[in-house]
């Protein structure tokens, strides 16, 4: 099998969850730059990292003592060994050392044509030591045209253009455009070397268009390997998102965090490394309700989207089609059945008897509400309703959390159904009382008869104080679980909550997409 067989394995539009990323770069034994930084950056950004070593350096945080470039025949062997066995989703190229190495890598890239190539044209270390032979700068031009993205710092940008280094961001952008248009490549202009209060970066496309992003400059001397880490991170995130600006936003925000936590590492007495795994090691557990506050902030966009849904707007003003409401109720009953099982699982995992009882009661109440839905309306259906695609996916997600997840994950996964539902319910109820002050709902609204609002009885159920109290308790339990969870488990809790929140949104929107003409509800159920 040739190496070519393994490259570019999927169409441009598809995205890769765990991209396999190859760094072709030099070794920094102090661990802050080169392949060591690349592997950490790739892992921290969700990829699987591999490394083909172009050169060995003897360096630390104070500077580079010497450089050893192994024979290129051995470089070729490394490249072949990896490519002939492993699908490579993206390549990051860093330190190359000399012209022979550049030409070897260029030939390999020309032959194998990896799907994503990020070239960090490393020439001089931040310590001022040369990492590329002076006579090799010309050879780099050959590699440029094979790169999807080139990430020079300001001195490197100047060398690639044969000009003096830019001294302002405007000059840097002008140089970036010159390189991008002149060489028909995408260039990332980096502002790390500017003497400015912030650190702007800009993606310049081959047509000269610019996408700029600005981050605050972190006050730290520990910036060793930022360029390596940024380029390896971009090579990792681009296959996941398929979009350069989005990849830059994600990686730049991660890098800012890595710089902010760099001083915690206490590595060396010179320019130390950045903290690639700051998110994993941020060990301080939340003390009060910080975790749920964060979840609430995280879900702001979803909550706004729910309030803006046609289903919610029409439920509010009473213009919702009966078939949509009927679909919603039928799916709610099916959902509650699955939800009840997951609540029972939370009860089984609960660390205290009080929490065990809370979830067990909730699980039982779910079945009672489901039975009410059947009694009041679903019994009139000729055939049993099938779960729609959203109901199925949402319940599957909850069951998956219930079967493999920790207690924290389970409670975080079930929380949006309490919290987001109570939130939207309270808002609808408030608005209903303002818009329809005379509607008593229970008597005349249920069958769309005499009342001015056909769903008044349903909207009045949103005032249920017991449900609001249960939501409050579920939030407190989630905070307690987060306090006892590891950082990695907390991250999984956040993800589980976020997924469920998105399903809440999809659930309210599902009637618009999937409701068929079915019998209208016989009378309105209570939740
Ligand atoms: N102190 C800082 N605070 C915030 N961001 C920074 C800081 N220093 C560098 N950066 C960012 O780090 C990335 C690398 O920038 P830089 O221009 O320093 O490249 P580089 O010289 O190739 O990196 P290095 O040689 O340090 O590995 C850019 O996104 C830049 O904006
Ligand atoms: C092996 C290797 N590759 C790249 C760099 C550049 O990183 P920095 O500019 O932060 O020194 C380095 N110092 N060593």
């Amino acid at each position: 099998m040739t190496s070519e067989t393994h490259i570019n394995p999927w169409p441009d539009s598809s995205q890769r969850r765990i991209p396999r990323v190859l760094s072709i770069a030099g070794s920094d034994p102090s661990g802050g730059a080169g392949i060591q930084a690349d592997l950490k950056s790739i892992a921290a950004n969700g990829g699987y990292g591999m490394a083909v070593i172009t050169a060995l350096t003897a360096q630390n945080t104070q500077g580079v003592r010497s450089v050893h470039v192994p024979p290129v025949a051995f470089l070729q062997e490394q490249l072949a060994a990896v490519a002939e066995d492993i699908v490579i989703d993206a390549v990051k190229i860093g330190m190359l050392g000399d012209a022979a190495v550049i030409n070897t890598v260029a030939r390999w890239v020309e032959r194998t044509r990896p799907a994503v190539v990020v070239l960090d044209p490393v020439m001089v270390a931040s310590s001022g030591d040369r990492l590329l032979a002076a006579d090799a700068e010309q050879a780099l031009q050959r590699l440029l045209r094979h790169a999807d993205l080139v990430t020079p710092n300001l001195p490197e940008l100047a060398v690639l253009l044969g000009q003096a280094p830019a001294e302002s961001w405007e000059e840097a952008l002008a140089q970036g455009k010159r390189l991008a248009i002149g060489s028909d490549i995408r260039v990332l202009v980096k502002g790390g070397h500017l003497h400015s209060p912030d650190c702007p970066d800009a993606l310049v496309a081959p047509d000269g268009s610019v996408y700029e992003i600005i981050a605050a400059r972190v006050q730290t001397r520990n910036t060793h390997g930022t360029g390596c880490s940024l380029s390896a991170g971009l090579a990792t995130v681009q296959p996941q998102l398929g979009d350069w600006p989005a990849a830059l936003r994600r990686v730049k925000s991660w890098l800012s965090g890595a710089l902010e936590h760099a001083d915690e590492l206490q590595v060396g007495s010179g320019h130390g490394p950045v903290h690639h795994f700051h998110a994993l090691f941020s060990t301080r557990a939340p003390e009060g309700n910080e975790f749920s506050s964060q979840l609430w902030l995280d879900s702001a966009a979803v909550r706004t989207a729910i309030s803006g849904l046609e289903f919610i707007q029409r439920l509010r003003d009473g213009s919702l089609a009966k078939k949509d409401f009927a679909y919603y109720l039928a799916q709610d009953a099916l959902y509650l059945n699955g939800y009840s099982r997951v609540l029972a699982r939370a009860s089984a995992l609960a660390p205290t008897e009080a929490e065990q009882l809370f979830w067990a009661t909730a699980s039982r109440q779910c079945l009672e509400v489901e039975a009410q839905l059947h009694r009041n309306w679903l019994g009139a259906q000729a055939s049993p309703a099938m779960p729609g695609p959203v109901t199925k996916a949402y319940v599957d997600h909850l069951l998956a959390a219930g079967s493999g997840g920790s207690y924290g994950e389970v409670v975080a996964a079930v929380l949006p159904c309490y919290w987001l539902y109570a939130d939207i319910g309270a808002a609808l109820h408030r608005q209903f009382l303002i818009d329809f002050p005379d509607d008593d709902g229970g008597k005349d609204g249920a069958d769309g008869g005499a009342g001015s609002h056909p769903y008044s009885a349903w909207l009045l159920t949103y005032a249920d104080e017991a449900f609001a109290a249960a939501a409050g308790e579920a939030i407190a339990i989630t905070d307690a679980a987060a306090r006892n969870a590891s950082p990695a488990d907390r991250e999984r809790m956040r993800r589980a909550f976020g997924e469920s929140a998105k399903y809440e949104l999809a659930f309210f929107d599902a009637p618009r997409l999937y409701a068929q003409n079915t019998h209208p509800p016989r009378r309105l159920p209570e939740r």
Side-chain angles (χ1 to χ4, degrees):
M1 197 180 278
T2 66
S3 52
E4 281 85 340
T5 333
H6 285 292
I7 300 293
N8 208 354
W10 61 71
D12 284 352
S13 59
S14 70
Q15 290 161 10
R16 182 83 207 164
R17 211 167 66 82
I18 306 179
R20 292 146 292 194
V21 184
L22 173 64
S23 161
I24 304 174
S27 158
D28 168 7
S30 71
I35 55 157
Q36 287 82 355
D38 290 350
L39 289 174
K40 292 173 201 177
S41 170
I42 293 165
N45 283 287
Y48 173 77
M50 300 172 277
V52 159
I53 302 184
T54 53
L56 305 169
T57 69
Q59 66 174 301
N60 54 27
T61 63
Q62 297 170 16
V64 181
R65 296 179 180 190
S66 62
V67 174
H68 169 66
V69 181
V72 289
F74 188 68
L75 174 64
Q76 278 162 355
E77 276 193 55
Q78 294 182 73
L79 289 167
V82 175
E84 285 172 20
D85 181 39
I86 300 164
V87 178
I88 299 167
D89 300 318
V91 172
K92 173 253 154 99
I93 302 172
M95 174 184 175
L96 294 167
D98 62 26
V101 172
I102 294 176
N103 290 329
T104 304
V105 172
R107 270 195 303 277
W108 180 83
V109 172
E110 281 161 10
R111 245 193 354 266
T112 53
R113 305 207 161 278
V116 174
V117 177
V118 178
L119 172 63
D120 187 16
V122 174
M123 296 176 189
V124 179
S126 45
S127 54
D129 303 287
R130 284 209 77 93
L131 295 173
L132 182 70
D135 61 0
E137 283 158 7
Q138 207 44 43
L140 259 188
Q141 302 285 346
R142 174 175 172 188
L143 252 184
L144 282 189
R145 60 196 153 94
H146 297 301
D148 297 291
L149 179 69
V150 183
T151 64
N153 62 23
L154 296 187
E156 290 157 355
L157 179 60
V159 170
L160 290 172
L161 287 165
Q163 295 183 330
E167 286 181 4
S168 67
W169 184 235
E170 290 66 35
E171 275 177 39
L173 281 180
Q175 288 194 345
K177 283 187 195 174
R178 209 164 300 140
L179 182 63
I181 296 168
S183 302
D184 193 26
I185 50 174
R186 185 179 286 101
V187 177
L188 178 69
V189 182
K190 302 183 292 189
H193 287 246
L194 292 172
H195 300 285
S196 57
D198 41 47
C199 279
D201 287 345
L203 279 168
V204 186
D207 65 2
S209 59
V210 174
Y211 176 81
E212 195 173 321
I213 179 166
I214 298 176
R217 182 174 293 275
V218 178
Q219 293 310 320
T220 176
R221 70 194 304 245
N222 298 318
T223 56
H224 182 48
T226 46
C228 305
S229 305
L230 177 70
S231 53
L234 287 168
T236 308
V237 176
Q238 165 65 14
Q240 296 173 56
L241 301 184
D243 178 68
W244 286 110
L248 179 62
R249 282 195 301 275
R250 161 104 62 97
V251 178
K252 181 101 168 138
S253 143
W254 162 79
L255 185 61
S256 291
L259 281 153
E260 275 158 19
H261 291 271
D263 298 355
E264 293 165 19
L265 293 176
Q266 303 190 333
V267 172
S269 53
H271 292 287
V274 301
H275 194 340
H276 296 89
F277 292 110
H278 60 281
L280 192 63
F281 292 128
S282 67
T283 46
R284 202 177 62 79
E287 282 157 16
N289 62 353
E290 297 131 89
F291 186 73
S292 56
S293 304
Q294 186 60 53
L295 295 181
W296 197 238
L297 285 178
D298 287 351
S299 64
V302 166
R303 286 184 282 114
T304 307
I306 292 178
S307 340
L309 283 179
E310 194 184 310
F311 179 88
I312 297 294
Q313 295 300 330
R314 289 185 177 277
L315 183 59
R316 185 183 130 185
D317 66 20
S319 66
L320 182 67
K322 286 203 169 134
K323 71 172 172 53
D324 286 2
F325 191 59
Y327 180 87
Y328 171 75
L329 292 181
Q331 293 304 313
D332 202 27
L334 291 160
Y335 168 83
L336 286 172
N337 188 280
Y339 191 62
S340 163
R341 292 176 195 280
V342 184
L343 295 179
R345 175 75 183 145
S347 175
L349 295 174
T352 66
E353 209 169 299
E355 291 181 21
Q356 188 182 354
L357 184 62
F358 173 78
W359 296 119
T361 308
S363 171
R364 185 197 154 96
Q365 281 166 344
C366 259
L367 291 180
E368 285 167 5
V369 175
E370 187 208 347
Q372 267 171 16
L373 284 169
H374 278 286
R375 258 201 318 279
N376 292 338
W377 171 65
L378 296 168
Q381 297 273 69
S383 56
M386 294 291 288
V390 175
T391 312
K392 181 159 181 356
Y394 192 179
V395 171
D396 281 353
H397 159 66
L398 293 173
L399 289 172
S403 66
S406 63
Y407 178 61
E409 261 178 283
V410 182
V411 300
V414 300
L415 186 59
C417 180
Y418 275 99
W419 203 358
L420 270 53
Y421 185 89
D423 180 57
I424 192 71
L428 274 171
H429 182 250
R430 260 195 318 274
Q431 198 59 45
F432 170 68
L433 294 182
I434 295 168
D435 294 344
F436 298 87
D438 300 329
D439 233 349
D440 65 358
K443 289 193 206 100
D444 52 22
D447 53 12
S452 51
H453 195 299
Y455 303 112
S456 52
W458 181 258
L459 292 176
L460 287 168
T461 67
Y462 282 136
D464 184 358
E465 280 175 14
F467 185 70
E473 200 161 334
I475 295 165
I477 288 176
T478 308
D479 271 322
R483 279 196 288 282
N484 294 322
S486 68
D489 197 30
R490 271 201 292 282
E491 193 46 42
R492 282 191 289 273
M493 288 175 69
R494 263 179 88 166
R495 253 183 270 141
F497 179 91
E499 278 287 293
S500 293
K502 281 193 225 144
Y503 280 125
E504 283 291 314
L505 169 64
F507 197 88
F508 282 122
D509 199 27
R512 182 181 63 84
L513 300 169
Y514 305 110
Q516 307 294 330
N517 275 316
T518 50
H519 297 291
R522 191 146 43 101
R523 78 185 187 82
L524 285 163
E526 292 153 23
R527 199 172 210 265

